Amino acid sequence: LIDCIVAISMATHLNANPIVSNTEESHGASPMVSVPRTVEREPFSSLEVFELIRRVRDPEHENLTLEQLRVTTLENILVDDDESQAFPFVRVHFTPTIPHCSMATLIGLCLSVKLLRSLPVRFKLAVLITPGTHASEDEINKQLNDKERVAAALENPHLLKVVNKCISDSSGHVNDFKYSFDSTSSDFLPFSKFEP
């Protein structure tokens, strides 16, 4: 996974003329910078999750967001945060701009990291390619939802730098935490600041 993503992140533009959507409209929620990872239960909605990821930058077209490219949309986010559920979840589907997009794994990794850093720990997270929109959909979905592979990918300094660049907000602020995989709790745990 690491070698594949690093090679892809250094590749040339495959989609030289992506379709760009207007994103000036408000979706009815104020922008959120970060959500504290506390144990207090504050309900989340699909709109709030969308607000967290809408400004993630495309790794291939760095001046465009995933929302502008219609890679992420509010309609492709499902949040089940019912208090009666033992395991609430967030499921995000993203749609690559072309069926053979070489950046799909990297985009999914960026979305996963942004949400892991922003959502309360109670959520089980699944980041998936929208069904039928990518030639390697099953393989990429398996990689993106394998916590050990994601943790290993984030140990690569070059890859972590690319991810941090994509998920930094418009002010340039980013939480530069490395993540370690805790096999006893099946969770990612921040353990130190990343020094580029």
Side-chain angles (χ1 to χ4, degrees), residues 1 5 17 41 46-48 51 53 61 63-64 68 70 79 81 89-90 102 106 111 118 151 154 160 178 189-190:
L1 176 66
I5 293 176
N17 296 310
R41 189 166 199 72
S46 296
L47 179 59
E48 290 172 305
E51 288 295 329
I53 63 172
H61 304 283
N63 60 332
L64 299 173
Q68 289 173 308
R70 305 263 317 141
V79 176
D81 193 19
F89 67 87
V90 172
S102 63
L106 183 56
L111 292 170
S118 303
L154 295 177
L160 185 59
K178 279 181 150 180
L189 303 172

Side-chain angles (χ1 to χ4, degrees), residues 15 17-21 64 67-71 97:
N15 187 5
N17 296 310
I19 298 171
V20 180
S21 299
L64 299 173
E67 179 189 23
Q68 289 173 308
L69 295 171
R70 305 263 317 141
V71 172
T97 57

Side-chain angles (χ1 to χ4, degrees), residues 4 16 22 30 65 69 75 80 88 110 129 133 138 162 176-177 189:
C4 177
N22 183 3
S30 60
T65 66
L69 295 171
E75 298 78 26
D80 187 349
C110 291
I129 292 179
T133 62
D138 292 336
V162 172
D176 293 335
F177 284 105
L189 303 172

Side-chain angles (χ1 to χ4, degrees), residues 38-186:
T38 64
V39 292
E40 294 179 26
R41 189 166 199 72
E42 187 174 318
F44 260 75
S45 69
S46 296
L47 179 59
E48 290 172 305
V49 172
F50 180 68
E51 288 295 329
L52 290 171
I53 63 172
R54 68 187 290 190
R55 291 178 184 85
V56 171
R57 300 260 170 223
D58 182 78
E60 186 177 11
H61 304 283
E62 296 174 0
N63 60 332
L64 299 173
T65 66
L66 297 181
E67 179 189 23
Q68 289 173 308
L69 295 171
R70 305 263 317 141
V71 172
T72 57
T73 62
L74 178 59
E75 298 78 26
N76 284 336
I77 299 171
L78 177 63
V79 176
D80 187 349
D81 193 19
D82 187 350
E83 286 190 44
S84 65
Q85 288 235 350
F87 301 104
F89 67 87
V90 172
R91 184 177 308 132
V92 175
H93 282 93
F94 67 98
T95 307
T97 57
I98 55 176
H100 295 283
C101 178
S102 63
M103 297 289 169
T105 307
L106 183 56
I107 290 169
L109 184 62
C110 291
L111 292 170
S112 293
V113 170
K114 179 66 174 180
L115 292 171
L116 284 169
R117 291 180 182 177
S118 303
L119 292 172
V121 294
R122 71 176 178 267
F123 286 107
K124 179 170 173 51
L125 176 64
V127 174
L128 305 160
I129 292 179
T130 305
T133 62
H134 196 278
S136 303
E137 169 188 337
D138 292 336
E139 180 183 320
I140 293 171
N141 285 343
K142 184 177 179 181
Q143 290 176 353
L144 290 175
N145 291 288
D146 182 331
K147 290 181 180 184
E148 290 179 2
R149 284 185 181 184
V150 170
L154 295 177
E155 289 177 5
N156 178 305
H158 171 73
L159 188 55
L160 185 59
K161 186 175 180 179
V162 172
V163 169
N164 283 335
K165 184 176 181 180
C166 290
I167 66 175
S168 64
D169 65 19
S170 58
S171 68
H173 177 330
V174 65
N175 295 329
D176 293 335
F177 284 105
K178 279 181 150 180
Y179 280 83
S180 68
F181 181 71
D182 180 358
S183 60
T184 59
S185 70
S186 299

Side-chain angles (χ1 to χ4, degrees), residues 19-32:
I19 298 171
V20 180
S21 299
N22 183 3
T23 60
E24 295 300 316
E25 65 194 61
S26 172
H27 291 279
S30 60
M32 296 174 56

